[in-house]
Amino acid sequence: MSDPSAIPRRPLAPAQLQRWRFVVARAPGAPESTQRELFDGWIAALSAAGLPVAVTEGSRARARLTFGAPVPNGLALEADLIDVVLRGRWPAWRVREAMVGHVPAGWRIIDLHDVWLAAPPLAGQVAGADHRIVLDTDAPLDVLADAVRGLLAAPQLLRDRTKGAATVQYDLRPLVANVRVLDAGPPPTLFVRTRTHPELGSGRPEEVVAELAARAGSAIGIASIVRERLVLLEDLDSGGVAAAGSGPWSG
């Protein structure tokens, strides 16, 4: 585990810092780990690669690495985002070469971008996520399609969620942007775009499948699920993700 206290804490001018955005993938069989373990694993990998990771100021120094969204155990990723701030400016080729052989087990780097240091924090820019879900069900395709249409037409989707020792009710509908059948199968495959809300949190694709099962009156399980990408606010502004539906949010 990397020790942030070993990194010099003197304040650095913005010109001495650089913010990289890694586009990363994680294989379905990657080792299970908590969010803290993921953070520590990436910091250890960056330190082993020789990248000079910057730390926050103050008595509780913390390496300046941020995940775009939490990574649930077992979830495969195709284009997630991680921001890391370096002490000093490195060209892209040097970062790429340094990271060869130093990526945490089960992960790989797809791309990286030099991001403006003063740009808004990554987590606050995530508007949602796209998922590809292979279903485990014998439900007829027309029944599944009707359930999808009914879900998208519903003004409210009240569901129960366990929170600690209590069960709370919440509305799933504001957290679902779009659902559609990608492949009739068998087995059928769904596209699900969830929304991220600053107060309500993030939509869960497994909750979308559970709602579809309730509407279809049939057992619908999940054979596999992949988070294809995180959708940023700037993607919506530019219309860059509209291909996934009939419009930027499409639901």
Side-chain angles (χ1 to χ4, degrees):
M1 182 184 303
S2 175
D3 181 8
S5 65
I7 303 173
R9 300 187 188 181
R10 64 181 182 277
L12 294 175
Q16 298 173 282
L17 298 173
Q18 185 178 32
R19 179 176 169 187
W20 283 102
R21 179 160 297 165
F22 288 11
V23 183
V24 298
R26 187 175 77 162
E32 291 194 358
S33 54
T34 65
Q35 199 67 29
R36 180 67 204 187
E37 289 169 339
L38 284 178
F39 179 89
D40 289 342
W42 270 98
I43 291 300
L46 293 165
S47 297
L51 271 67
V53 181
V55 299
T56 57
E57 298 178 26
S59 59
R60 297 173 64 92
R62 181 181 184 276
R64 295 183 63 179
L65 179 144
T66 306
F67 287 85
V71 181
N73 266 327
L75 182 64
L77 313 173
E78 288 185 344
D80 255 54
L81 304 173
I82 298 175
D83 273 12
V84 60
V85 177
L86 301 184
R87 297 176 290 112
R89 301 193 61 81
W90 285 37
W93 66 265
R94 188 180 177 192
V95 176
R96 289 178 186 275
E97 288 190 0
M99 290 302 297
V100 172
H102 294 294
V103 179
W107 293 76
R108 58 194 175 96
I109 297 175
I110 306 298
D111 203 355
L112 70 161
H113 307 283
D114 190 347
V115 179
W116 181 39
L117 189 64
L122 173 59
Q125 290 300 296
V126 174
D130 289 346
H131 306 81
R132 186 174 68 253
I133 306 173
V134 178
L135 300 179
D136 179 9
T137 182
D138 293 325
L141 183 60
D142 59 339
V143 173
L144 179 61
D146 284 344
V148 169
R149 284 191 289 269
L151 183 152
L152 293 176
Q156 192 176 52
L157 298 171
L158 295 180
R159 296 194 58 79
D160 292 333
R161 175 180 290 175
T162 301
K163 193 171 184 180
T167 299
V168 297
Q169 192 175 67
Y170 76 103
D171 185 5
L172 175 65
R173 187 62 187 91
L175 302 177
V176 181
N178 195 13
V179 183
R180 60 189 175 91
V181 178
L182 282 178
D183 187 342
T189 302
L190 290 182
F191 165 83
V192 175
R193 175 173 292 166
T194 55
R195 285 188 174 107
T196 298
H197 189 280
E199 296 177 0
L200 302 177
S202 298
R204 300 179 183 178
E206 62 271 20
E207 285 287 292
V208 175
V209 173
E211 179 65 26
L212 290 176
R215 289 177 172 273
S218 179
I220 301 179
I222 297 176
S224 67
I225 181 169
V226 175
R227 188 157 75 194
E228 296 182 326
R229 62 179 294 177
L230 297 180
V231 181
L232 301 183
L233 292 173
E234 63 189 45
D235 296 325
L236 302 180
D237 293 340
S238 66
V241 296
S246 60
W249 273 120
S250 185

